Amino acid sequence: MKKILVTMALAALAMGAQAKVRLPHIICDNMVLQQQTDARLWGWAKAGATVKVTTSWSSEAVTAKAGRDGKWLVKVKTPKASYEPLTITFDDGEPLTIRNVVSGEVWVCAGQSNMEMPVKGFGMCPVEGYNHHVVDALQSKGVRSVKIPSIMRMTPQEDAQCEWRVCTPQTVPDFSATGYFFARLVSRTLDIPVGIIEANKGGSRVESWLTKENLEKYTQEPTDSMGIVNFKKEWDYHRAMLWGNGTFNPILNYTVKGILFYQGCSNVGDPGDQYSQRLKLLVEQWRQQFGLGEIPFYFVQIAPYVYGDGPDGISGALLREQQWKAAQIIPNSSLVCTNDLVKPYETTQIHPSQKQPVGERLAFTALNRDYGMKTIQYQSSSYKDMTIKGDSVLIHTQDNYWCDAPFEQMQGFEVAGQDRVFHPAQARHFWQPGGGYWDEAILITCPEVKKPVAVRYCFKNWQLGNVRNGGNLPLFPFRTDNW
């Protein structure tokens, strides 16, 4: 009899465990909700069970019925951003409450290792100003982060072991450095909470995040397990699809503001326009999967680095060009230039130490485009057109905020003639009256090239220029030829 009672008790406990509502790990204490929207909350319960969701900021409750697979999802109207601690209770007969929730802005931090790189840096790869950032974390009460574990899976995952972290001197070392500096500036400028969802993997390619369906339709990448393992015998972090399934898919129900992306190094060497087209495909995929419309996509151009073809090679320059082209074909996107954010001794450092300016340039972009601060100058200047006059070339730029600086001794330009051999060139500010206005341009000359036909600016794996615009942002590398 005693044995029967014990068995019945265990069965009851098992039934209770199955009946209790279960939440994905990302819905937990300390989470940040996207403010003033219909935020999605979801989880699992006993098939057919009714789940009631109540919040501390509203008297209205919402309910959902778990399907045959136990899944349920609701939408709750979120309040205006504030630091007020909120609670959410999920009840399918046994209530479960999460606490210290705040309403604010939520951004995804995606990409490879330069996005994954934490404030404490990687081994042999420090982040500039680390100790100051740890001390300063006391002032970042509004910043919170959740790191999705980087795992490979053959099938899309619905959950991942993670938890939201409040920014403190103890937790900030493990935050994505680029993501943290973005969130810190936005939070302090708007005086609201900002949450970052870190879903990234060092070394991953753009194909690492595409779905099986997109890979099979638009690429030659294998999507079966043996094909993925054996394809080109690459490192595991180069593998297609697996990281998206394991690391990105668990966040797709979350309601977010936009996506920040820092990736590209592992795609250096891709032919033609392949990278720009696949990045466009990835953005379209993510926007469709999130189901939140044409959310912002702000991404970072890879920094100078000596790739396998040497400092004067152009494999890295061609990838940067592909990123520039991607920014022109992806709606509601913007590209951050980092050509100036490397030290002269970081030629073979794939993880440059200056992460604060990277995050802050992303923040300038969001503050101008999404938060109404139109006086912020967030765009780097770029090549517009050129005019050849004798042995000289006049270059005009766009998005320069009425300034091409420095006035003299501009560095990073090269000129070539019909022989297609490039030589270092002299460049300076130039103006002349014309057409009822002053023609502001960059005058480029080279004693070795009497009849110039093409100009390049920092179009090498490793070449540092010094041209900036009125926002003190660097000129995008470019070439006027297609050689």
Side-chain angles (χ1 to χ4, degrees), residues 364 368 373-379 401 469-473:
F364 292 147
N368 178 292
M373 301 190 69
K374 298 303 181 182
T375 54
I376 291 179
Q377 298 173 337
Y378 73 94
Q379 292 178 293
Y401 303 112
N469 64 12
N472 203 35
L473 297 171

Side-chain angles (χ1 to χ4, degrees), residues 116-128 130 173-175 177:
E116 186 178 30
M117 186 177 185
V119 174
K120 66 183 179 184
F122 292 136
M124 306 304 293
C125 305
V127 169
E128 193 170 67
Y130 168 73
D174 293 312
F175 284 24

Side-chain angles (χ1 to χ4, degrees), residues 264-270 275 302 307 309 314-317 319-320 461:
C265 298
S266 288
N267 284 94
V268 167
D270 285 5
Y275 181 81
I302 60 173
Y307 290 94
D309 50 338
I314 64 169
S315 60
L319 195 284
R320 293 184 202 105
N461 290 338

